[in-house]
Amino acid sequence: MLLFWGSLLCWGLLPQAHGEAQHLLFLRISKDQVETDISDLLSEHRILDRVARIPVTGATGEGIAILGHLPFVKKSLSRKSSGLDLSLVGDLLAGKSLPLLGQLLRAGGLIIEDAKGPEVTLQVLSDSLLQVTLRCKLYLSLQRILRLKVIKNIRMGIRLEQTGNKTQVAFEECHTPPGYLSITVLERMNFLLVNEALGMVTRVLDQALPFLLQKIVCPLATTLLSSLLEDLLHIHLSRALSGPEDFRYYVTTTEFTEDAILMKVLLVTRCGPGQRAPRLDLLAPQDLPKLAQGSMADLAFRVDAYNDILSCLYASKEVCVDPRDPTAAYLIQLLSLRGLDPRPKLGAEESHRLGLPTPLRFDFILAFEQSPGRMGLAIRTPEPPTVHLDGHRATVIQQGSLMLLRPNGTPSVSVFWKLLSKAMFSSRNQNLKLQFTPYSTMVTLSTYPAGLAKQKERLKAFVSELLRRVFLPRHNELLGEQHLPLPSIKGISFNKACMEFSEDYMLLTIPEE
């Protein structure tokens, strides 16, 4: 005799021995997003603050670090306490040796009043070499004569070196390229000396700024960029997610593309021996659709790869249906081949909802509950759901069976069904979840008792009702627990990601904030 099921559903886990499976995914981070990250980082650390309000030439202590790098002033001519030792440079001030320096000093010094930026631009030179240009804006004044805006660039090369499953960042030379210096006159305070003073300033800055910017900006910029890129290129799982024995991410290769940093990511999941075997990924990264406009990053995977992952995550459950449920009671009587009671059993509203021609009422349920050999229903779904792509839409198919459980070891009766629904994806708390949409479902019957051929449509209507109302809520709950943990990357959150589809790929896209 079967045990009485007091709740609507009971769940029984079918245990499996777990092994491992590997799946290939592609993680792309937009070049624009990397530019923004670098700009924010340099701005946060106020990388140009050290060059604000200091003289390029002059007699203050602050100018010493700069004077030491001017090509025409030796270290022996400067003292840390008082700046330029005027007793040693009488000839310079008299204009006998270096008239440019003498004129600038007599004019009161060339002062950097403020510094903005740097503005960041990236240029891909090859799949492993990236050029970073820092555009520095300096606001200078030649006292009582000119006030200027000066733009000078710094360039550095970033090279990727792959060692095993780890990407290393190596820096090429950080330097100011020759031949580019933009000077804009903001104010002219002495019109008689403008042309001559501007010529002097241009020649001095063309020699002085490379030393100034390289000395102050390059060391800190390379340190900050190295830290930022290592955080971006080395992904991991959040501590709140499943442990390393269940999921592991490895970056196998990294390359620069026209619009993104592209990483091939190997996901290792637990997987039972009887589950779907992973397929070999035959498509190259260049087959990926372009990174969506306005997205900061995406995680791309083929639909076959996702189905393989879903298979490894899926743990089969058995749903035991309460026999007192009106739909279940009708199916039990129908599958037991006793024939329908000719008396009315369902109300008109219920029959209309199920699409049945004749109102029926379940008076037989009471007698059924009092029978010594009570029968029941179980819904079984041993195979995982499968996602299909149709253009830019995704549907999910679940196959299973509805079994009539008879007492005393009598052979059971089964109806095999296939349920199709619109696939709904959500990413919350660094997890990707798949859900069925209950009111977009369509059910077909593949196998059912031969004696019910004439009542196939009625059987289908009741099976559909039972799956939609009883099975799907619990099945969605199960799939919500068997979610895919997403990689954790500094500065990038999947919590607001949305799922996009192409012909072969599923794209979990993170929009710009």
Side-chain angles (χ1 to χ4, degrees):
M1 179 175 175
L2 297 177
L3 296 176
F4 175 74
W5 298 304
S7 61
L8 283 178
L9 303 172
C10 64
W11 295 79
L13 177 64
L14 303 182
Q16 299 187 52
H18 289 292
E20 284 188 351
Q22 299 180 352
H23 319 279
L24 185 63
L25 293 78
F26 298 94
L27 177 64
R28 296 184 292 189
I29 302 175
S30 166
K31 190 176 75 172
D32 292 341
Q33 180 61 36
V34 178
E35 284 184 354
T36 300
D37 288 344
I38 295 174
S39 296
D40 291 346
L41 187 67
L42 300 183
S43 176
E44 177 186 346
H45 286 81
R46 307 178 70 87
I47 196 169
L48 289 179
D49 269 13
R50 289 180 59 195
V51 302
R53 298 206 61 78
I54 61 175
V56 175
T57 61
T60 66
E62 286 183 292
I64 292 302
I66 308 307
L67 287 172
H69 285 274
L70 288 175
F72 42 70
V73 178
K74 296 180 180 179
K75 292 183 179 179
S76 61
L77 298 180
S78 62
R79 293 188 310 196
K80 190 172 184 179
S81 59
S82 60
L84 198 62
D85 187 349
L86 300 182
S87 66
L88 300 177
V89 289
D91 289 341
L92 295 180
L93 293 176
K96 294 179 181 179
S97 178
L98 294 173
L100 279 180
L101 182 58
Q103 292 176 43
L104 286 173
L105 290 173
R106 284 194 299 273
L110 185 63
I111 306 295
I112 299 177
E113 294 181 339
D114 198 5
K116 301 291 185 183
E119 298 172 358
V120 179
T121 56
L122 305 180
Q123 182 181 0
V124 176
L125 303 181
S126 72
D127 60 2
S128 62
L129 183 62
L130 183 70
Q131 179 177 277
V132 181
T133 300
L134 307 179
R135 191 168 186 253
C136 302
K137 291 183 181 179
L138 307 174
Y139 295 85
L140 298 89
S141 64
L142 184 62
Q143 292 183 7
R144 298 186 300 273
I145 300 175
L146 291 171
R147 188 167 182 273
L148 308 167
K149 179 177 75 173
V150 178
I151 296 175
K152 186 66 177 174
N153 289 346
I154 298 176
R155 286 180 184 166
M156 62 182 72
I158 298 176
R159 186 175 297 279
L160 298 180
E161 298 176 352
Q162 194 73 26
T163 305
N165 58 21
K166 191 171 184 180
T167 303
Q168 303 289 344
V169 178
F171 283 89
E172 305 287 329
E173 181 184 7
C174 178
H175 68 285
T176 54
Y180 177 81
L181 182 69
S182 171
I183 298 179
T184 303
V185 178
L186 300 179
E187 295 179 33
R188 296 177 174 86
M189 291 166 274
N190 188 324
F191 286 92
L192 296 178
L193 298 177
V194 167
N195 290 336
E196 183 180 356
L198 188 58
M200 290 190 302
V201 167
T202 300
R203 287 188 287 272
V204 170
L205 291 178
D206 202 32
Q207 298 180 73
L209 280 186
F211 293 94
L212 167 66
L213 295 178
Q214 284 178 225
K215 180 180 188 305
I216 291 179
V217 175
C218 283
L220 182 55
T222 52
T223 299
L224 293 175
L225 263 65
S226 178
S227 174
L228 170 68
L229 290 172
E230 286 184 359
D231 285 338
L232 288 177
L233 301 179
H234 299 158
I235 63 177
H236 59 277
L237 283 173
S238 169
R239 293 179 181 272
L241 302 179
S242 299
E245 71 280 1
D246 293 332
F247 300 94
R248 296 187 299 279
Y249 281 99
Y250 300 104
V251 178
T252 59
T253 60
T254 305
E255 62 185 71
F256 296 119
T257 67
E258 181 182 355
D259 59 352
I261 296 178
L262 170 65
M263 288 173 275
K264 284 187 179 180
V265 180
L266 192 66
L267 170 61
V268 179
T269 64
R270 65 183 191 273
C271 190
Q275 293 167 316
R276 185 184 293 131
R279 299 171 177 82
L280 179 64
D281 192 282
L282 300 177
L283 293 182
Q286 55 264 30
D287 295 316
L288 286 169
K290 277 190 169 292
L291 188 70
Q293 186 174 6
S295 63
M296 58 187 290
D298 70 12
L299 185 66
F301 37 87
R302 290 183 57 196
V303 65
D304 289 342
Y306 180 76
N307 285 328
D308 294 339
I309 295 170
L310 189 60
S311 173
C312 288
L313 297 176
Y314 186 75
S316 178
K317 299 281 186 177
E318 180 176 294
V319 181
C320 305
V321 185
D322 185 352
R324 296 174 300 174
D325 181 278
T327 306
Y330 179 87
L331 284 169
I332 289 172
Q333 185 175 13
L334 188 62
L335 294 176
S336 66
L337 302 179
R338 294 179 183 177
L340 292 176
D341 191 322
R343 294 177 299 166
K345 298 174 182 178
L346 281 181
E349 182 179 347
E350 183 75 3
S351 296
H352 177 73
R353 183 168 60 84
L354 295 174
L356 298 177
T358 307
L360 301 171
R361 194 174 110 214
F362 277 90
D363 288 342
F364 71 90
I365 294 178
L366 185 59
F368 171 77
E369 289 182 346
Q370 295 173 349
S371 63
R374 201 165 44 236
M375 290 181 287
L377 286 179
I379 300 173
R380 293 180 178 175
T381 53
E383 296 297 324
T386 303
V387 176
H388 291 265
L389 298 183
D390 179 15
H392 294 282
R393 297 183 306 169
T395 56
V396 57
I397 295 176
Q398 177 69 65
Q399 299 189 64
S401 63
L402 178 68
M403 299 188 66
L404 174 67
L405 303 175
R406 288 174 166 167
N408 304 323
T410 307
S412 61
V413 177
S414 298
V415 175
F416 291 88
W417 48 265
K418 181 167 67 173
L419 185 149
L420 183 144
S421 166
K422 177 182 176 182
M424 184 170 61
F425 293 90
S426 62
S427 56
R428 294 290 182 273
N429 301 320
Q430 291 295 112
N431 291 312
L432 177 63
K433 297 181 181 180
L434 168 67
Q435 299 281 274
F436 287 75
T437 307
Y439 290 97
S440 70
T441 58
M442 182 177 69
V443 174
T444 58
L445 304 182
S446 54
T447 306
Y448 50 89
L452 295 178
K454 293 182 180 181
Q455 301 188 63
K456 177 183 176 181
E457 292 305 316
R458 180 174 293 183
L459 176 64
K460 176 182 172 181
F462 275 96
V463 171
S464 299
E465 167 68 9
L466 191 69
L467 294 179
R468 183 190 63 79
R469 184 171 51 81
V470 176
F471 167 72
L472 274 187
R474 298 302 184 190
H475 195 54
N476 275 341
E477 184 179 339
L478 165 67
L479 293 176
E481 295 170 355
Q482 297 171 357
H483 46 250
L484 173 64
L486 298 170
S488 179
I489 309 163
K490 187 174 182 179
I492 295 178
S493 172
F494 284 97
N495 287 343
K496 294 183 180 179
C498 54
M499 186 66 78
E500 305 287 343
F501 308 101
S502 68
E503 291 185 1
D504 296 295
Y505 278 93
M506 303 168 64
L507 308 171
L508 190 60
T509 301
I510 304 173
E512 291 179 350
E513 296 181 354

